[in-house]
């Protein structure tokens, strides 16, 4: 009995020690940490059988169990002294069977609300570009999605690239980032819609103050300001990863909240950690304004992909109960990898399993989760199970977007083709815009295919290449059609204008004599219609009822008078030009005289300077001579006197 109690205590200790170790690799860009210690502690609280590999790693004997606990303690000590070190320990997220049973009733009661919220989310995503039944379509039923602003080599994406990425996420209410790196907050808030908000992260404790300052600058520079921020997450799995203790995390969150409040932010501040970390350290519940947890069915190993939604619902109920039931729960990461090694019994990475998992999650708890993640994070380490890079939810979103744009372009071209002459200019502008957008989308799709080359098999590569080729061929065809239809429109309008100019008179059956007052479009009537005073009316009436010959004669007389007036004007211009030439000659003569006078003045000044110089020299000669004379006279007087 006593041995049994000791064994039970050791088992719970193994769970407590194992919980800090499970997490993804760093979500913010950071150099890989060396000398990672790997410890495997697997606890199946629900009774699901482990795989053969995991069975070999955990012995049923008390000696082996005790050894594992000692190793875990040693590893925990090492992890606490080396912060931010990625680990590879995978711990079951499942709670005990008793807690699962106690929460079953509350899970059932929340089923209808979750389903209705998911339906509401689905109907509101009018800007979605995902195809029905795809991973993207189901992912868009979630509350939001995570995003990393890094290229495949770990460098920052440009602001334009980030904006382009975010424009593809218009169906998501919340976009989570892990740090304000790469000016991503500015790019995101500058692109996201009015119904969207950013979940901003502060990833590093050692630069918390400076990161808050960076975040604040980017937020305040946006048009939304703090109103565009959904929440601020301080850290990601700090306790679960063994980076910091609960008290250290609590102090960091309190400090961040205080700084943010001084800076004008009054929204939610949380720390994001795993379900197990929150359950085993309920003080985290008090630290956060809502329960922010990461939870992945894949890492349980005993959950089939199609059961991911119901599994998450149970976990949400359990964590809500553990934290007192007063605060809301948001799953800040969840998804399923598409590549890598099998974990446990049912943790099998594949696209089909990802579709099944995301579909289940969306239908069960869509309004309570943020999908993980937008694109594959190829800048990360693959991890022990090779899955860390491959969690993207938008595998074919660019392709689906291109398909929808192609369909819209085809529809608009059909409208334009049916009536090119009378089609409104708006349809031409719409076609031009769609062609430009589709061209950019195909370029992004091509870049995406190139990036994914290493991670795809030959059939997948060929499939993507064929898709891209077909879309490009369609775009070229539609561009040619558009140019042809525009040419037809231009030719038709030119012909229409020509006919109106040439056949207006004949079609209205009026006289060809422009001087006949019976002609409604005659020169006389037009002149009378445009008259603005009685004098003009009288002048116009002189030409009433003239024959063609008389009208032409009078018109010639008017032209001759006009010609004479033009001659007079030209003559006046010639006289004015002659006057200008004469004036120019006078000015030149005056210039010569002034130059001569200036030269004369110059000579006079030079002569005066010479005279003054000579006078100055003569004056000093006189003074010197006078002094010498006086000195000689003094000597004569001294010797002879």
């Amino acid at each position: 009995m006593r041995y049994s109690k000791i064994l039970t205590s050791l088992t719970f200790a193994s769970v407590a020690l194992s919980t800090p170790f499970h997490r993804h690799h760093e979500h913010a860009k950071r150099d890989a940490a060396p000398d990672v210690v790997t410890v495997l502690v697997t606890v199946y609280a629900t009774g699901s059988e482990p795989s053969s590999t995991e069975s070999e790693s955990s012995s049923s004997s008390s000696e082996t169990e005790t050894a594992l606990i000692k190793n875990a303690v040693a590893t925990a000590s090492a992890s606490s002294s080396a912060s931010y070190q990625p680990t590879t320990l995978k711990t079951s997220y499942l709670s005990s069977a008793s807690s699962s049973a106690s929460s079953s009733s509350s899970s059932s009661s929340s089923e209808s609300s979750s389903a209705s919220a998911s339906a509401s989310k689905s109907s509101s995503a009018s800007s979605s570009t995902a195809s029905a039944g795809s991973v993207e379509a189901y992912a868009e039923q979630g509350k939001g999605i995570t995003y990393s602003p890094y290229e495949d080599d770990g460098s920052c994406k440009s602001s334009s690239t980030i904006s382009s990425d975010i424009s593809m996420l218009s169906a998501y209410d919340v976009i989570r980032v892990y740090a304000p790196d790469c000016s991503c907050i500015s790019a995101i808030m500058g692109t996201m819609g009015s119904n969207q908000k950013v979940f901003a992260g502060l990833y590093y404790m050692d630069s918390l103050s400076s990161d808050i300052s960076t975040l604040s600058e980017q937020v305040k520079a946006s048009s939304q300001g703090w109103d565009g921020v959904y929440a601020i997450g301080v850290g990601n799995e700090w306790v679960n990863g063994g980076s910091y203790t609960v008290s250290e995390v609590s102090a960091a969150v309190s400090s961040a909240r205080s700084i943010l409040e001084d800076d004008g932010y009054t929204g939610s501040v949380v720390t994001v950690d795993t379900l197990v970390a929150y359950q085993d350290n309920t003080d985290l519940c008090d630290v956060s304004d809502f329960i922010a947890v990461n939870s992945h069915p894949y890492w349980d190993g005993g959950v089939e992909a199609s059961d991911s939604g119901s599994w998450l619902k149970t976990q949400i109920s359990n964590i809500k109960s553990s934290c007192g039931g007063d605060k809301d729960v948001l799953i800040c990461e969840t998804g399923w990898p598409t590549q890598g090694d099998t974990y446990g019994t049912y943790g099998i990475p594949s696209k089909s399993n990802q579709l099944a998992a995301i579909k289940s999650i969306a239908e069960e708890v869509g309004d309570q989760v943020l999908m993980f993640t937008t694109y594959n994070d190829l800048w990360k380490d693959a991890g022990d199970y090779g899955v860390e890079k491959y969690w993207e939810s938008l595998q074919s979103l660019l392709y689906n977007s291109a398909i929808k744009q192609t369909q819209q372009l085809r529809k608009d071209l059909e409208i334009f083709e049916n009536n090119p002459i009378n089609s409104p200019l708006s349809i031409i502008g719409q076609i031009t815009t769609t062609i430009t957008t589709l061209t950019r989308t195909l370029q992004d799709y091509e870049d995406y295919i190139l990036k994914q080359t290493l991670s795809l098999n030959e059939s997948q590569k060929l499939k993507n290449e064929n898709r891209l080729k077909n879309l490009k061929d369609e775009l070229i065809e539609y561009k040619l059609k558009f140019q042809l239809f525009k040419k037809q429109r231009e030719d038709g309008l030119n012909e229409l204008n020509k006919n109106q100019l040439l056949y207006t008179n004949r079609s209205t059956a009026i006289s060809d004599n422009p001087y006949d007052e019976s002609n409604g479009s005659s020169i006389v009537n037009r002149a009378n219609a445009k008259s603005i005073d009685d004098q003009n009316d009288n002048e116009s009436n002189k030409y009433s009822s003239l024959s063609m010959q008389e009208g032409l004669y009078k018109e010639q007389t008017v032209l001759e008078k006009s010609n004479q007036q033009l001659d007079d004007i030209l003559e006046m211009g010639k006289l004015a030009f002659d006057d200008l030439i004469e004036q120019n000659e006078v000015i030149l003569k005056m210039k010569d005289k002034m130059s001569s006078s200036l030269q004369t003045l110059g000579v006079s000044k030079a002569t005066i300077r010479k005279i003054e110089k000579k006078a100055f020299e003569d004056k000093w000669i006189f003074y010197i001579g006078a002094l010498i004379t006086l000195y000689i006279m003094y000597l004569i007087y001294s010797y002879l006197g």
Side-chain angles (χ1 to χ4, degrees):
M1 185 69 177
R2 185 175 180 183
Y3 175 78
S4 178
K5 289 182 179 179
I6 294 174
L7 182 59
T8 302
S9 300
L10 291 174
T11 303
F12 282 118
S14 69
V15 175
L17 287 169
S18 69
T19 55
F21 289 94
H22 170 72
R23 65 169 178 169
H24 284 295
H25 282 273
E26 308 300 331
H27 290 292
K29 186 166 75 69
R30 193 176 182 91
D31 294 335
D35 301 329
V36 177
V37 180
T38 301
V39 179
L40 181 63
V41 178
T42 306
V43 180
Y44 287 88
T46 59
S48 57
E49 293 296 330
S51 64
S52 58
T53 302
E54 293 169 328
S55 297
E56 293 173 2
S57 302
S58 57
S59 173
S60 60
S61 65
S62 59
E63 291 82 1
T64 304
E65 194 169 359
T66 304
L68 285 173
I69 294 172
K70 290 181 179 180
N71 290 336
V73 172
T75 306
S77 301
S79 298
S80 64
S81 62
S83 60
Y84 294 96
Q85 180 169 301
T87 62
T88 55
L89 182 67
K90 314 302 178 187
T91 304
S92 173
Y93 278 149
L94 288 177
S95 303
S96 65
S98 60
S99 62
S100 298
S102 64
S103 64
S104 61
S105 59
S106 59
S107 298
S108 301
S109 63
S110 63
E111 244 177 70
S112 58
S113 60
S114 298
S116 61
S118 299
S120 174
K121 170 69 177 176
S122 177
S123 64
S124 65
S126 58
S127 57
S128 170
T129 56
S131 299
S134 64
V135 170
E136 294 86 350
Y138 289 117
E140 287 176 354
Q141 296 179 34
K143 188 178 186 66
I145 194 168
T146 65
Y147 175 77
S148 296
Y150 308 117
E151 298 286 1
D152 294 345
D153 59 0
S155 61
C156 286
K157 290 183 177 180
S158 65
S159 295
S160 59
T161 301
I162 295 174
S163 296
S164 177
D165 290 345
I166 299 304
S167 66
M168 304 296 291
L169 305 179
S170 57
Y172 296 93
D173 293 339
V174 178
I175 299 171
R176 182 192 176 194
V177 293
Y178 295 86
D181 294 352
C182 310
S183 299
C184 66
I185 301 297
S186 296
I188 291 171
M189 297 187 74
T191 307
M192 67 185 190
S194 58
N195 63 321
Q196 293 180 291
K197 292 182 183 292
V198 61
F199 188 157
L202 301 169
Y203 198 80
Y204 304 112
M205 185 179 287
D206 52 3
S207 59
L208 190 62
S209 297
S210 60
D211 286 348
I212 291 175
S213 178
T214 301
L215 171 64
S216 177
E217 289 176 4
Q218 295 183 52
V219 170
K220 289 182 176 180
S222 69
S223 59
Q224 305 97 320
W226 291 116
D227 291 338
V229 177
Y230 174 78
I232 293 178
V234 181
N236 186 69
E237 301 185 8
W238 276 351
V239 174
N240 185 76
S243 300
Y244 300 101
T245 64
V246 174
S247 59
E248 289 173 330
V249 173
S250 178
V253 173
S254 298
S255 175
R257 182 182 284 111
S258 177
I259 298 172
L260 289 165
E261 287 178 352
D262 292 341
D263 213 11
Y265 176 69
T266 58
S268 298
V269 180
V270 300
T271 183
V272 182
D273 224 300
T274 63
L275 278 163
V276 176
Y278 262 90
Q279 287 172 333
D280 291 346
N281 303 276
T282 53
D283 288 345
L284 290 177
C285 305
D286 300 328
V287 171
S288 299
D289 292 325
F290 60 83
I291 313 305
V293 293
N294 297 335
S295 183
H296 297 276
Y298 166 81
W299 287 123
D300 178 79
V303 178
E304 293 191 39
S306 58
D307 294 331
S308 296
S310 58
W311 181 84
L312 272 178
K313 181 183 289 188
T314 300
Q315 304 312 305
I316 292 172
S317 176
N318 290 342
I319 190 62
K320 190 175 183 70
S321 176
S322 298
C323 289
D326 296 331
K327 293 183 178 180
D328 293 331
V329 178
L330 177 66
I331 303 298
C332 300
E333 280 184 18
T334 192
W336 196 278
T338 57
Q339 295 185 50
D341 301 330
T342 298
Y343 181 75
T345 304
Y346 298 113
I348 304 172
S350 70
K351 291 187 176 181
S352 59
N353 277 346
Q354 185 191 52
L355 175 60
I358 299 299
K359 178 178 183 294
S360 175
I361 293 170
E363 292 174 347
E364 293 286 344
V365 290
D367 63 326
Q368 296 176 273
V369 301
L370 304 183
M371 298 298 180
F372 182 80
T373 179
T374 304
Y375 298 120
N376 279 334
D377 292 325
L378 300 182
W379 53 273
K380 290 183 181 179
D381 293 331
D384 285 350
Y385 288 84
V387 299
E388 299 297 341
K389 298 181 178 182
Y390 309 111
W391 293 73
E392 71 172 345
S393 300
L394 272 65
Q395 298 168 14
S396 58
L397 187 58
L398 286 170
Y399 174 71
N400 293 333
S401 178
I403 290 295
K404 290 206 171 188
Q405 291 167 9
T406 302
Q407 293 171 349
Q408 183 63 44
L409 181 58
R410 185 186 304 116
K411 179 180 177 182
D412 292 340
L413 283 172
E414 289 175 355
I415 296 174
F416 191 27
E417 181 183 14
N418 291 335
N419 195 351
I421 297 177
N422 295 325
S423 293
L425 290 175
S426 60
I427 195 69
I428 299 177
Q430 185 170 324
I431 293 173
T432 302
T433 302
T434 305
I435 288 176
T436 302
T437 305
L438 179 56
T439 302
R440 185 168 60 249
T441 301
L442 291 183
Q443 183 60 53
D444 292 341
Y445 186 43
E446 184 173 10
D447 294 341
Y448 169 80
I449 292 175
L450 292 175
K451 290 179 180 178
Q452 300 297 321
T453 298
L454 296 177
S455 62
L456 299 178
N457 56 41
E458 290 300 323
S459 62
Q460 290 172 329
K461 291 179 187 177
L462 184 60
K463 179 181 179 181
N464 284 330
E465 289 172 358
N466 289 337
R467 282 179 169 181
L468 180 62
K469 181 179 181 302
N470 292 337
L471 287 169
K472 283 187 173 181
D473 290 344
E474 279 192 82
L475 179 59
I476 292 173
E477 178 186 352
Y478 293 151
K479 282 183 177 179
L480 293 175
K481 284 186 176 181
F482 185 42
Q483 295 299 326
L484 176 62
F485 298 157
K486 285 201 297 184
K487 185 67 169 59
Q488 291 177 357
R489 175 187 174 87
E490 183 180 350
D491 293 343
L493 290 175
N494 288 339
E495 185 67 22
L496 183 62
N497 291 334
K498 179 180 178 181
N499 292 337
Q500 288 177 344
L501 290 173
L502 293 178
Y503 301 109
T504 298
N505 289 343
R506 294 181 183 177
S507 63
T508 55
I510 59 176
S511 172
D512 289 335
N513 181 5
Y515 306 100
D516 186 359
E517 67 177 348
S518 63
N519 182 0
S521 300
S522 67
I523 293 176
V524 175
N525 286 335
R526 288 200 301 269
N528 287 337
K530 294 179 181 180
S531 296
I532 60 174
D533 51 44
D534 293 339
Q535 182 178 358
N536 288 342
D537 286 338
N538 293 333
E539 286 293 326
S540 300
N541 290 335
K542 294 179 181 180
Y543 296 95
S544 300
S545 301
L546 295 177
S547 64
M548 176 73 77
Q549 185 176 0
E550 291 173 338
L552 291 174
Y553 174 75
K554 288 190 175 291
E555 190 170 328
Q556 182 181 2
T557 303
V558 172
L559 292 174
E560 288 177 350
K561 289 181 180 180
S562 300
N563 188 39
Q564 184 61 43
Q565 290 177 349
L566 288 174
D567 289 339
D568 293 341
I569 293 172
L570 290 174
E571 184 64 26
M572 291 172 61
K574 183 176 180 299
L575 293 174
F577 183 70
D578 292 339
D579 289 341
L580 289 174
I581 292 176
E582 185 177 351
Q583 292 175 9
N584 186 46
E585 292 176 351
V586 172
I587 291 173
L588 289 174
K589 291 178 180 179
M590 290 179 62
K591 178 182 176 183
D592 293 338
K593 290 181 179 180
M594 291 180 67
S595 298
S596 177
S597 299
L598 291 173
Q599 290 175 358
T600 302
L601 288 173
V603 171
S604 300
K605 287 182 179 179
T607 303
I608 292 171
R609 282 196 297 270
K610 289 180 180 180
I611 294 172
E612 289 177 346
K613 183 177 180 182
K614 187 64 176 176
F616 181 78
E617 291 174 352
D618 291 344
K619 181 172 65 175
W620 279 104
I621 291 174
F622 172 75
Y623 289 152
I624 294 171
L627 290 173
I628 293 174
T629 303
L630 290 174
Y631 181 70
I632 293 173
M633 290 178 64
Y634 172 75
L635 291 176
I636 294 173
Y637 176 77
S638 297
Y639 288 106
L640 298 178

